[in-house]
Amino acid sequence: MSYASVGMSSCTKDCKYDVFLSFRGEDTCKTFVSHLYDALHRKGIHVFKDDERLETGKSISDELLKAIEQSRIAIVIFSKSYASSTWCLKELAHIIKCRNELDQNVIPIFYDVSPSDVRLQNPPFAEAFSQHGEEFKDDAEKIKNWKDAFVIAGKIAGHDLKSYKDEADCIKKLIDDIFHKSLQGILHFPENLVGMKSQIEEVISLLDLESNDVCFIGIWGMGGIGKTEIASFLHQRLRHQFEADCFLGDVGTLYQKNGLTWLEQVVISKLLREKMTLTSKHEGMDIIKSMLHRKKVLFILDNVNHQEQLECLVGRAEWFGSGSRVILTARDKHLLISHIGDNVYEVQLLPENEALELFSRHAFREKSPKKGFMELSRQVVEYAGGLPLALKVLGSSFYKRDKEQWRDKIDRLKKIPHNDILGKLRISFDGLDKEEKRMFLDIACLYNHESRDYVERVFKSCGIHLIGIDYLVEKTLLSFDRYPRILMHNMITKMGENVAREEYANNRIWLPEEVRDLFAGKMKVEKVESMRTSEYQYFKDEVFKKMQSLQVLKIDKKYGLVNHSTITYLPSSLRWIDWENYRSSSLPENFEPLDLVGLSLVAGSLVKLWPISKKLSNLKYLDLSDNLGLTKTPNFGDIPNLETLILKWCKYLEEVHPSLGHCRMLTILHLKGCGKLKQLPKFVSMESLETLNLGECTSLEKFPKICGDMQSLSKLYVGSPWIRSLPLSLCGLSYLNLKDCIDLECIPNTIQNLESLWISGCNTIATLPNSLFESKKLEKLVIAHCSRLAELPISLGAHKKLLRLDLLGCENLKKLPNSIQMESLVDLHILNCPKLDTFSEINGDMYSLSELSLQSTRITELPSSIGNLSALKLLSLVGCEHLASLPKSLCNLNNLQWLHLRGCNILENLPENIGDLQELEELDARETAISQLPLSTTKLGKLNTLKFSHKHSSSFVLHQVSGLSSLTRLHLSNCNILGGLPEDLGSLHSLEYLVVKGNNISCLPKSIKKLLCLKYLNVQFCKSLNELPRELPPNLELLYADYRLALKSIRDLLINCFKLNLILTSWCGHEKSRCGTISTNQVNVLKCVQHFLRACIQCHFHQRTYFCISFPEGRIPESFGYQFINQSRISINLNPSWYTDKFMGFSICCYSNGWKAGVEATLICISDPERKHSLKCDIDHHRLNSLAPSVIFFYIPFKTWWLASDNKLGKSPLDYCLFEVCTMSRRKAYWGVRLEYENKVRRWRRKHLAMQSSKLFEVPQKDNAMMTEIGFSVRRYCGAITQTSKPPGARSYATSNRSVPKEDLLREGLQLELMPKHVAIIPDGNRRWTKERGLSPEKGHEAGKKVLGDLCRYCSKWGVKVLSAYVFSTENWSRPKPAEVTFLMMSYFERLIEEFMRFGMKMSIIGDRSNLPNSLKEMLKLPVDSGNHKGQHRASFCGST
């Protein structure tokens, strides 16, 4: 993809702005211009707009003329009064001049005039020019220039508003024109990205932005080479193309500092706009992949340095929606390749010419060196080695230096090794003065990534002038993010740390090992000025006593560290103490805080500040938040200069000293969450207070009395259910937040300057004062859960500046203003107001409104004026159960993209002309009564999501869908579709998700195989659907189907759908046994697994990394030999010879009472205790999430796993002898694990056929139906799977001698009266069983004969008359050890004879006995000849000798 497609290319001149807007302020500023500016800004176009437009003077400013010259495009908005402004005329004349001389692109907009009016100066322009002629009669040339400019502008092809439906339509077309035509190749390209343009173009080609697939790319290179700059630029230029975006910078540092869970919370906040607290990294993974898989996102992680960051934050492609792009930057190329493959771009060093330009921009603030400095500049560039960071830093250090200083610095550069980048960066540090060096080193060692406000407070406490911070920014040694936090490049940070250690040893302590050495007496302590650590368990009083220079002490909380020692001494030289989790009840009594400026003891055990009163004359900042032992505050009379007091979440604080009301210097008072606080002292002299937070002070009985002037108070938070009124003197408030003030009756009408008002849970407030809206300053109004609020003031409907209005959960709200004309309103959300039955008429211009939600209201219809909301993008009517119809004017909403009608139960029709909504992308009409789509629906060329379902059994007609070319999701559940799905379904070439569950369809259209993009298909609960097509879409990844369909189609699915890796089955009432009870689900699970494994042999299954089948009920089949109960992680010691050339893979069955995420399987090498060479397989399918009990079958083909792993380092499979499995959510589950071998799978097939045949004895037909079922039930009770050395937590299947009660049989779905008369078995696998466990063959035969004996016993109890066992064949004679054959024949029959005699069973032998040993022949005569038969049971043993 080229630069043009994202709006980037080279330009012949440097331009500061992309677009300059020229307009007459009083005509268009508040409407058209503001909307145009907002649209341009959202597209990432850099716009100059003179917001003031005072035009009080006659002369236009030089800055404005310069802005015109520095703009690539000038947009001139001609309105009727444009020519009456000499200011506008001067702008226009200069714009035309720039067009002629600088090739500036000019786009005229004819707002309420025609192009000919401008070209010919027709009225009203004629009158304006006539007046100017009188005023400037002595300067005819000026008037002529203005008229000529009008003539030229009138001839330029532009946009005439009259030819568009409305302003919004004009703006849209204008933006499209600008962005895709005029601005192609001329969008603002930052000067700091010199030399990066071609590299960015290559990265964009890797992104393949035209593709709808999810794409991961890596950007790799050394530190300082420009990875972050490239990624940041791409973020800014591409973000508008995605539903959500996130740029997370310096991930490695944030990971080390805050941990992975914190990073996940940040990602969720940025991409999902939700703040949540996570308890584990696995919870974060689950949320990210489950909530983003349908979103098209741009996700950039900068400077990753650990595999765990990639696994937990970006995972795999299926985590994200179609078209998503994930960009990763790192210094470790292998890290990127191991996660995303070869799609990695290596950032190149700059060539000489571009390196020289970048250096010059910082050394001279020009594109090239000044005269006489070319050769010197080339020498510096050579030593910088083309590294952008070094070029910037060195360039800034040479700025405004003379040649002598240049030569001196270059001589020093020559002494630094060529590859010593840090040494080169050191040059910039040497150019700082003493105070700037101190600030730089403090930030590098102690305060990187801290907020600017915090760092400035610390510096001020130490007497450092803050102007140095801006100077460091100018020198490119640090920068700020948007919060703003200080950001210092990690290479510059490393350089600073090296300097601090080498030349300022012991001044700053921040490394854990240094802290340990310091308090162990191995370092000099006298010079220590600043210390930051979390290793406070090493602190000793005697060391602190020697630190007489210590000014800053910052202790970070260390989780899991418990330190019971008490600090009894702190140096009196301290100016700033920030100690999180301070464990003492007070500060040391002998600490004299004469110089202390800032004190923060958050989340500690503080009971009181000091044991005795202390004078704190210099203290300005005090934060004692979250100290649960604090019950009363100190005397603030001892703190006369206090500016900030934070006591939030001191839950047991009961008493505030009266002196608080006399803190004249206090600007911030934060008491949120002080739940025991009942009263505050009088505010007597608090004229400086700006912010007062009383949120969640649930015991506060009344608002503090204000005695003096508090005009500075601008922000107020109140959260007490006892406060009944607010003071009238709060007239200066701009922000007011009232939460759960249950008894508050009203808001004072003296509050007239609010910009934001948030009211929640104030159940006594019945109305709002008109004064709130008369000031015209209010921009945000949120009212939630105010149960008495019945109506809103009429004046609200005409408010001109309101941007956001939310009415949530106001259960008695019945009426809105009859009409609304809020021209600035952007978002209007009315949710869960069940008595609101009418929506306001739309009057006048509301061109800004983009979102309108009227969810769960009693509205029966929408006004026809709804069609006037020309900028509306989202209309949500979810849960409007009384809405009967939609107005035809709805189809005038030309910009509508999302229409949500879910739960509008009685809505029967959509407007016939719905096809006019050309921008519509999503239509959700689930749970409605709509019976068919209007014919015009096929005109919705941009529709990508269409959803319908019925709550009741009404029918639905779907004629054709061929016109919906952009459709990616089609949801038609429980619709009772008449005539089935249309045959033109195959024309939906973009379709990815198809849901038709619960319908009466009997077949899927043949054309479904043409849906090459289809990934998701749901046909569950379609009772008339008897089979799936042999040819399903080849790229299908996920199938929801009933068990019978999945079982029948498993082979075709595996062979034809190469990407299919998950089948979720459902029981649909078809799996009933003829006994009238539900058959054992284990039989169904096992049967499906056997079908699946046989199909794996017949297809190229190794192309998949895993496969899952989900069953909604059931138990783990007994054939899974390793079984575990209630474990989140299991371990299995594999047999030393577990791997053979017939080994297929690992089967895992997992049963959980509610399923979440997936499993993590690991093969571990016994000689690798650190698990560096472990093979890991993560099956983290988010669609497996379920609250209901379910059994999940996972299959991991070993060949795929082995070939995909790149850390084996010459090892063979048999070097791995430990297999571990765990749930990703750490949820406990029941497990079954089995190793699959091709020859074993084939034997299963033979057994299955043998068990369903009756060659030995004739069996009544009614018994055959239970043959398989009784077989598996016998195995359950008799212990056919016996474990002699089971791993911890495994279930034991050792044989029990207890009788099996009838209720046990019933619990297994067995009934005595329906038991078969004859059961035939083939005992097999004794040798394999022993081989897997490293035992002798005799041990296996011992276990086998025990099982045979148990079978006889249970058959006797269950009423089975005949038991036939095929126990010996001619191939047994070929056993390698003759003794084994003798043991086999003698031991089996010896045990069996004993069992038969005990239970009175008659034994018969079928087969040739002639080759048997004589001793065995004699033994076999005994049971046959015995006459002591107590019962009617018979055992037959078959053999071919």
Side-chain angles (χ1 to χ4, degrees), residues 122-153:
N122 290 334
F125 301 129
E127 293 84 349
F129 278 110
S130 176
Q131 292 175 9
H132 295 320
E134 290 294 326
E135 185 177 358
F136 300 99
K137 55 186 174 183
D138 295 331
D139 194 352
E141 186 65 25
K142 178 181 290 187
I143 301 297
K144 182 178 182 301
N145 289 339
W146 291 349
K147 287 186 175 183
D148 290 346
F150 251 67
V151 172
I152 295 172

Side-chain angles (χ1 to χ4, degrees), residues 760-908:
S760 176
C762 299
N763 293 332
T764 308
I765 294 179
T767 186
L768 298 177
N770 275 309
S771 59
L772 286 176
F773 312 109
E774 291 171 353
S775 67
K776 307 301 181 184
K777 290 186 177 181
L778 193 65
E779 294 183 352
K780 295 180 181 178
L781 175 59
V782 178
I783 305 175
H785 308 293
C786 294
S787 58
R788 284 197 60 193
L789 188 70
E791 60 180 299
L792 298 173
I794 297 175
S795 57
L796 173 64
H799 202 284
K800 301 298 184 184
K801 201 169 182 181
L802 196 67
L803 300 174
R804 173 183 174 184
L805 174 59
D806 288 0
L807 303 171
L808 316 173
C810 297
E811 57 192 47
N812 285 304
L813 181 66
K814 298 178 180 178
K815 189 176 181 182
L816 298 174
N818 292 332
S819 63
I820 56 175
Q821 188 177 354
M822 295 181 278
E823 61 186 32
S824 299
L825 193 66
V826 176
D827 298 320
L828 174 55
H829 300 138
I830 304 176
L831 281 68
N832 298 312
C833 297
K835 293 186 179 180
L836 183 66
D837 57 9
T838 305
F839 185 63
S840 310
E841 288 285 343
I842 311 296
N843 286 343
D845 298 335
M846 288 187 65
Y847 294 132
S848 298
L849 190 64
S850 63
E851 290 190 10
L852 174 59
S853 296
L854 302 173
Q855 298 183 17
S856 300
T857 62
R858 200 177 177 82
I859 290 174
T860 58
E861 62 179 359
L862 294 176
S864 59
S865 57
I866 195 82
N868 296 336
L869 301 176
S870 56
L872 196 67
K873 294 182 178 180
L874 168 68
L875 176 59
S876 178
L877 301 168
V878 173
C880 293
E881 298 179 352
H882 300 274
L883 185 69
S885 63
L886 296 173
K888 294 180 179 180
S889 61
L890 180 76
C891 301
N892 295 334
L893 303 177
N894 296 324
N895 289 296
L896 192 67
Q897 297 177 13
W898 301 281
L899 177 58
H900 296 165
L901 304 171
R902 184 173 186 175
C904 298
N905 297 335
I906 64 173
L907 183 65
E908 297 182 349

